[in-house]
Amino acid sequence: MTRAKYVPLYESVWIALKGMTEEERLRAYDSLCEYAFEGLVPDFSDQPLLSLFWELTRPNIDAALRRSEVNRRNIGRRWENRQDGE
Protein backbone atom coordinates (compact mmCIF):
# COMPACT_ATOMS: atom_id res chain seq x y z
CA MET A 1 0.00 0.00 0.00
CA THR A 2 1.26 3.47 -0.85
CA ARG A 3 2.00 5.56 2.21
CA ALA A 4 0.12 8.80 2.73
CA LYS A 5 1.03 12.35 1.85
CA TYR A 6 -1.46 13.40 4.52
CA VAL A 7 -3.54 11.75 7.21
CA PRO A 8 -6.83 13.08 8.59
CA LEU A 9 -7.07 13.93 12.26
CA TYR A 10 -10.58 13.12 13.39
CA GLU A 11 -12.25 14.91 16.30
CA SER A 12 -12.47 11.63 18.23
CA VAL A 13 -8.68 11.31 18.06
CA TRP A 14 -8.26 14.89 19.25
CA ILE A 15 -10.59 14.24 22.20
CA ALA A 16 -8.63 11.11 23.16
CA LEU A 17 -5.31 12.93 22.86
CA LYS A 18 -6.47 15.78 25.10
CA GLY A 19 -6.92 13.31 27.95
CA MET A 20 -3.32 12.10 27.79
CA THR A 21 -0.21 13.35 29.50
CA GLU A 22 2.21 15.38 27.38
CA GLU A 23 4.54 12.37 27.03
CA GLU A 24 1.69 10.04 25.99
CA ARG A 25 0.34 12.61 23.56
CA LEU A 26 3.74 13.04 21.90
CA ARG A 27 4.15 9.29 21.50
CA ALA A 28 0.64 9.03 20.07
CA TYR A 29 1.21 11.83 17.54
CA ASP A 30 4.56 10.35 16.55
CA SER A 31 3.00 6.91 16.12
CA LEU A 32 0.26 8.29 13.87
CA CYS A 33 2.78 10.07 11.63
CA GLU A 34 5.29 7.23 11.59
CA TYR A 35 2.59 4.74 10.62
CA ALA A 36 0.90 6.90 7.99
CA PHE A 37 4.05 8.31 6.40
CA GLU A 38 6.66 5.60 6.99
CA GLY A 39 4.66 2.42 7.56
CA LEU A 40 6.14 1.84 11.03
CA VAL A 41 3.85 0.05 13.49
CA PRO A 42 4.37 1.23 17.08
CA ASP A 43 4.92 -1.10 20.02
CA PHE A 44 2.82 0.09 22.92
CA SER A 45 3.01 -3.15 24.90
CA ASP A 46 4.43 -1.18 27.82
CA GLN A 47 1.60 1.39 27.89
CA PRO A 48 -1.99 0.08 27.98
CA LEU A 49 -3.59 3.49 27.34
CA LEU A 50 -1.55 4.06 24.18
CA SER A 51 -2.16 0.48 23.09
CA LEU A 52 -5.92 1.01 23.37
CA PHE A 53 -5.65 4.36 21.57
CA TRP A 54 -3.70 2.71 18.76
CA GLU A 55 -6.12 -0.20 18.33
CA LEU A 56 -9.02 2.23 18.03
CA THR A 57 -7.19 4.69 15.73
CA ARG A 58 -5.34 2.38 13.33
CA PRO A 59 -8.45 1.24 11.39
CA ASN A 60 -9.27 4.88 10.60
CA ILE A 61 -5.75 5.49 9.30
CA ASP A 62 -5.88 2.31 7.22
CA ALA A 63 -9.24 3.34 5.72
CA ALA A 64 -7.90 6.81 4.89
CA LEU A 65 -4.84 5.27 3.21
CA ARG A 66 -7.06 2.94 1.15
CA ARG A 67 -9.32 5.84 0.09
CA SER A 68 -6.28 7.88 -0.86
CA GLU A 69 -4.91 5.05 -3.00
CA VAL A 70 -8.27 4.51 -4.75
CA ASN A 71 -8.58 8.24 -5.42
CA ARG A 72 -5.04 8.37 -6.80
CA ARG A 73 -5.78 5.50 -9.20
CA ASN A 74 -9.10 7.03 -10.28
CA ILE A 75 -7.46 10.36 -11.02
CA GLY A 76 -4.81 8.56 -13.05
CA ARG A 77 -7.45 6.71 -15.07
CA ARG A 78 -9.39 9.90 -15.65
CA TRP A 79 -6.24 11.61 -16.88
CA GLU A 80 -5.45 8.67 -19.21
CA ASN A 81 -9.00 8.74 -20.61
CA ARG A 82 -8.76 12.46 -21.17
CA GLN A 83 -5.46 12.05 -23.03
CA ASP A 84 -6.87 9.20 -25.16
CA GLY A 85 -9.88 11.31 -26.13
CA GLU A 86 -7.82 14.20 -27.46
Side-chain angles (χ1 to χ4, degrees):
M1 178 183 301
T2 303
R3 299 320 306 168
K5 300 284 185 207
Y6 73 95
V7 64
L9 181 63
Y10 296 102
E11 182 182 20
S12 59
V13 172
W14 171 239
I15 290 168
L17 290 168
K18 289 190 328 181
M20 295 180 182
T21 66
E22 188 174 326
E23 180 182 331
E24 290 169 334
R25 196 167 45 251
L26 178 59
R27 282 193 70 195
Y29 276 125
D30 284 350
S31 72
L32 290 172
C33 292
E34 288 170 352
Y35 182 70
F37 304 129
E38 299 174 2
L40 302 174
V41 178
D43 177 12
F44 291 134
S45 57
D46 61 329
Q47 293 192 307
L49 177 62
L50 288 174
S51 181
L52 175 62
F53 168 81
W54 181 248
E55 292 305 317
L56 295 174
T57 305
R58 183 179 181 175
N60 291 327
I61 296 170
D62 289 340
L65 292 173
R66 283 190 301 274
R67 280 191 307 273
S68 178
E69 178 64 20
V70 166
N71 290 340
R72 187 189 65 74
R73 281 190 308 240
N74 288 340
I75 289 169
R77 286 185 195 129
R78 224 176 305 154
W79 181 252
E80 288 172 8
N81 290 340
R82 178 182 252 184
Q83 298 250 338
D84 293 340
E86 291 181 34

